[in-house]
């Protein structure tokens, strides 16, 4: 049987950390898709607004897709590499130790009582967990969890590039498949619907109000499309 001294971290904390990491990945994927949708759609609509034919529009969109995917991948690679470097230099270990030392027996006991543990058992466990040697073990466990959350920079890079590309595919398909006379209108509608879906999904994952979150994303996307279309139309009217 395990004793109180064998406890490193409450199981619920580890489960919560794992769930949070998964949600972070999902949210990051949605953000990447949103970037792909808005960025590439803005380029397509802007160039089309300038009066370009389908060929130049798709060429500009392709350049935006490739450049955006590479930029997203590079940004994630640099960011995750920096986090990993921080882990390796010992900053994370120091932070984990400080967090373990900052908890007192009263706070820990209250945590266990909130989980339904009997008062005397919660007090006993808390007393064990604040012993110096157990604090060290808890800090080590927290550090291991933190290191597991720092994924491979290469993995983060390709996931970011992939989600951006998937998002960018939507305005591409809309512009490519729609009749020439309504290409812009179809692309705008498809983009706004997609943004409403991703905004609602992101809000659901984060526990936020879905309607408000979706409205923010849709409004921002509509503003970006309107601005690029206006810029393209203005430049197209005065080009050479």
């Amino acid at each position: 049987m395990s004793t109180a001294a064998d406890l490193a971290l409450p199981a619920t904390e580890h489960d919560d950390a794992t769930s949070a990491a998964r949600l972070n990945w999902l949210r990051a994927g949605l953000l990447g898709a949103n970037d792909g949708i808005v960025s590439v759609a803005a380029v397509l609509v802007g160039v089309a607004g300038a009066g370009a034919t389908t060929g130049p529009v798709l060429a500009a969109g392709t350049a935006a897709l490739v450049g955006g995917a590479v930029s997203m991948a590079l940004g994630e690679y640099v960011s995750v590499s920096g986090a990993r470097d921080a882990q390796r230099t010992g900053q994370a270990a120091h932070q984990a130790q400080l967090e373990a030392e900052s908890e007192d027996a009263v706070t820990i006991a209250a945590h266990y009582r909130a989980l339904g543990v009997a008062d005397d058992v919660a007090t006993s466990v808390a007393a064990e967990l604040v012993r110096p040697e157990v604090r060290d073990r808890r800090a080590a466990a927290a550090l291991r969890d933190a290191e597991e959350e720092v994924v491979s920079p290469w993995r983060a890079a390709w996931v970011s590039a992939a989600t951006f590309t998937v998002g960018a595919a939507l305005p591409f398909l809309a512009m490519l498949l729609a009749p020439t006379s309504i290409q812009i209108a179809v692309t705008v509608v498809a983009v706004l619907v997609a943004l409403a879906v991703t905004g609602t999904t992101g809000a659901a994952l984060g526990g936020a109000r879905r309607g408000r979150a979706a409205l923010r994303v849709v409004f921002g996307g509509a503003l970006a499309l309107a601005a690029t279309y206006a810029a393209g139309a203005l430049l197209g009217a005065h080009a050479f």
Side-chain angles (χ1 to χ4, degrees), residues 38-226:
V38 176
S39 299
V40 174
V43 171
L44 293 173
V45 169
V47 177
T53 58
T54 301
V57 170
L58 295 180
T62 301
L65 188 156
V66 174
V70 172
S71 177
M72 291 285 288
L74 181 60
E76 281 297 310
Y77 181 85
V78 171
S79 175
V80 175
S81 294
R84 173 164 288 186
D85 290 341
Q87 295 281 7
R88 290 172 176 171
T89 58
Q91 294 180 16
H94 180 63
Q95 181 64 30
Q97 186 67 39
L98 290 178
E99 290 178 358
E101 292 176 353
S102 67
E103 292 184 324
D104 55 38
V106 174
T107 302
I108 296 174
H111 168 78
Y112 280 105
R113 291 191 196 97
L115 295 176
V117 177
D119 183 72
D120 57 338
V121 176
T123 302
S124 176
V125 171
E128 290 291 334
L129 290 178
V130 297
R131 292 196 296 116
E133 60 270 29
V134 180
R135 284 188 188 275
D136 291 340
R137 292 170 60 187
R138 296 183 66 203
L143 179 59
R144 286 194 300 272
D145 288 341
E147 289 175 343
E148 290 174 359
E149 291 178 7
V150 179
V151 298
S152 164
W154 289 109
R155 179 186 175 190
W158 77 256
V159 167
S160 181
T163 54
F164 182 94
T165 302
V166 169
L170 175 70
F172 247 114
L173 291 175
M175 184 68 72
L176 183 63
L177 299 178
T180 304
S181 59
I182 57 172
Q183 278 181 328
I184 296 177
V186 169
T187 301
V188 170
V189 171
V191 165
L192 296 183
V193 170
L195 290 177
V197 172
T198 58
T200 301
T201 304
L205 292 174
R209 296 178 60 179
R210 301 181 185 184
R212 179 178 297 178
L215 183 61
R216 284 197 300 262
V217 176
V218 171
F219 178 78
L223 184 61
L225 295 177

